[in-house]
Amino acid sequence: MTIPAVSIQNIHKDYTHLKALKGIDLEIPQGSFFGLLGPNGAGKSTLINIMAGLVRSTQGNIEVLGYNVMSQWRQARQSLGIVPQELVYDPFFNVQEMLRLQSGYFGFGKENYAWIDELIDILSLTDKVHTNLHDLSGGMKRRVLIAQALVHKPPVVVLDEPTAGVDVELRQSLWEFTKRLHAQGHTILLTTHYLEEAEALCDRIAILNHGEVVALDDKQALLARHPYRYLKLHLTANDIQLPAHLQKNFVSLENQQLLLRIHKEEDAIVSVLENLQAAGIEFDDLHTDEPGLEEVFMDLTHSTSS
Ligand SMILES: Nc1ncnc2c1ncn2[C@@H]1O[C@H](COP(=O)(O)OP(=O)(O)OP(=O)(O)O)[C@@H](O)[C@H]1O
Ligand SMILES: [Mg+2]
């Protein structure tokens, strides 16, 4: 059996007035594109910071490619590239110096400079190589943090909200870059509040809420959990009277657009349409929408609030 990229076993983190993590168990398979999602304060960064050795857990173990992050810190750290959520940087170095320093910290010498130059190029930092980190914009600093996380070509790449506060263009290019890293064989662990992107990119997803795992599944299986699909109709009139037995399906009616929620098992779209017709409600266009990750996320994170 191949060892998991990351194995998280019963991780607890207690702060003085808060249990930030309440026994997290997760396994991230090698080669997966894993989404760690959850609302603000769910505990995502705390978990990542424990993985990085920046925060000490109250209880539990984390292994990266079989290396314990506490007792085999050096090997675990070598296997990981972490892009932190907070923009932490040393203001006394320029981009090139910073990346070379980081590379040296992992035991590489000049032989790694070509890879550093490649990273600078991929992340469009060429114009800024000699600029002091202090003088870069927020989005540029984030690019440097990404390059910094990758200098030692780590097999496991952890991105904690890499696109927070970056413009649309950079966001798109970062997603493309992450996809490329994944295609090259890196395991990716991503946290993001852009659920559409997570849905497009990730193959496996964990949802955290109040320090607990409330869902852990393959993306498709997770999406299939939401019991509803949606029926959108463009009506020929706005003033309609929905039959009583369709009231439970009603979501909204605006500008002659009627949105109905259809339970996948309990309602048949055909009979909903027949009922509308029988009630004299006419429409000239219709389409159906399958639920996305956002609906699943809302279901799971709202029903478990404490
Ligand atoms: N040093 C600390 N002392 C006390 N509480 C902390 C500390 N660090 C984090 N917390 C708390 O732990 C909880 C989890 O925080 P964390 O940063 O892990 O959330 P998150 O899921 O990353 O949220 P976000 O989506 O906003 O980044 C929050 O309630 C936070 O206030
Ligand atoms: Mg966070």
Side-chain angles (χ1 to χ4, degrees):
M1 212 182 81
T2 46
I3 45 168
V6 182
S7 170
I8 298 171
Q9 300 144 12
N10 194 30
I11 286 288
H12 288 255
K13 178 65 193 175
D14 299 345
Y15 289 114
T16 317
H17 299 292
L18 177 87
K19 290 186 183 305
L21 296 173
K22 305 171 189 166
I24 304 290
D25 287 297
L26 282 181
E27 220 163 71
I28 301 174
Q30 280 191 53
S32 64
F33 200 130
F34 194 100
L36 179 64
L37 309 178
N40 291 135
K44 307 177 295 295
S45 297
T46 304
L47 189 60
I48 287 172
N49 290 337
I50 293 172
M51 213 182 285
L54 298 171
V55 169
R56 189 180 274 265
S57 64
T58 310
Q59 194 185 322
N61 272 315
I62 300 188
E63 287 171 10
V64 180
L65 289 172
Y67 299 114
N68 189 294
V69 295
M70 297 300 290
S71 59
Q72 295 166 297
W73 183 82
R74 208 159 263 287
Q75 293 96 323
R77 191 66 193 80
Q78 193 89 30
S79 308
L80 271 177
I82 296 190
V83 183
Q85 181 174 9
E86 303 295 330
L87 292 171
V88 276
Y89 60 94
D90 195 322
F92 300 106
F93 296 103
N94 69 34
V95 173
Q96 190 182 59
E97 286 164 347
M98 188 66 230
L99 296 178
R100 289 184 176 183
L101 201 76
Q102 182 78 5
S103 167
Y105 169 76
F106 281 106
F108 292 101
K110 286 190 175 146
E111 76 283 357
N112 204 33
Y113 286 2
W115 169 237
I116 292 176
D117 289 344
E118 204 178 317
L119 281 172
I120 286 171
D121 181 47
I122 297 169
L123 290 159
S124 305
L125 285 164
T126 312
D127 294 346
K128 306 286 179 189
V129 274
H130 300 300
T131 305
N132 203 291
L133 286 157
H134 187 261
D135 300 329
L136 294 177
S137 74
M140 290 285 180
K141 285 191 191 101
R142 200 163 288 280
R143 290 184 211 201
V144 178
L145 287 184
I146 292 169
Q148 205 178 327
L150 297 172
V151 284
H152 58 298
K153 297 190 180 163
V156 183
V157 179
V158 180
L159 302 142
D160 193 355
E161 293 196 42
T163 54
V166 305
D167 65 30
V168 182
E169 200 178 328
L170 174 57
R171 207 163 77 211
Q172 299 296 348
S173 68
L174 282 181
W175 295 136
E176 287 308 316
F177 181 51
T178 318
K179 268 198 257 182
R180 209 162 97 191
L181 286 173
H182 181 239
Q184 285 166 354
H186 294 266
T187 302
I188 310 282
L189 172 61
L190 170 73
T191 86
T192 181
H193 290 288
Y194 292 98
L195 296 180
E196 273 185 27
E197 298 296 349
E199 188 177 333
L201 293 166
C202 300
D203 49 44
R204 201 163 163 77
I205 287 170
I207 298 181
L208 285 194
N209 198 22
H210 299 293
E212 289 175 299
V213 177
V214 295
L216 169 64
D217 222 328
D218 287 341
K219 176 180 60 189
Q220 293 309 337
L222 197 62
L223 290 174
R225 279 195 205 181
H226 189 76
Y228 298 105
R229 58 213 289 227
Y230 296 88
L231 176 62
K232 272 186 193 164
L233 298 153
H234 185 263
L235 306 179
T236 54
N238 218 11
D239 52 341
I240 55 150
Q241 190 60 47
L242 208 60
H245 56 281
L246 288 185
Q247 294 289 345
K248 67 175 178 11
N249 302 97
F250 180 79
V251 180
S252 62
L253 173 60
E254 254 174 69
N255 302 326
Q256 294 176 228
Q257 292 278 359
L258 174 64
L259 183 62
L260 296 175
R261 206 166 63 158
I262 310 291
H263 197 284
K264 283 180 187 164
E265 270 146 34
E266 292 168 12
D267 309 303
I269 287 198
V270 179
S271 65
V272 170
L273 293 174
E274 281 169 1
N275 284 325
L276 287 171
Q277 215 163 18
I281 298 169
E282 293 181 355
F283 52 89
D284 51 23
D285 195 14
L286 94 166
H287 73 269
T288 58
D289 263 351
E290 291 299 320
L293 194 53
E294 191 157 328
E295 282 84 6
V296 177
F297 181 90
M298 294 302 276
D299 276 357
L300 287 163
T301 54
H302 277 138
S303 59
T304 57
S305 56
S306 56

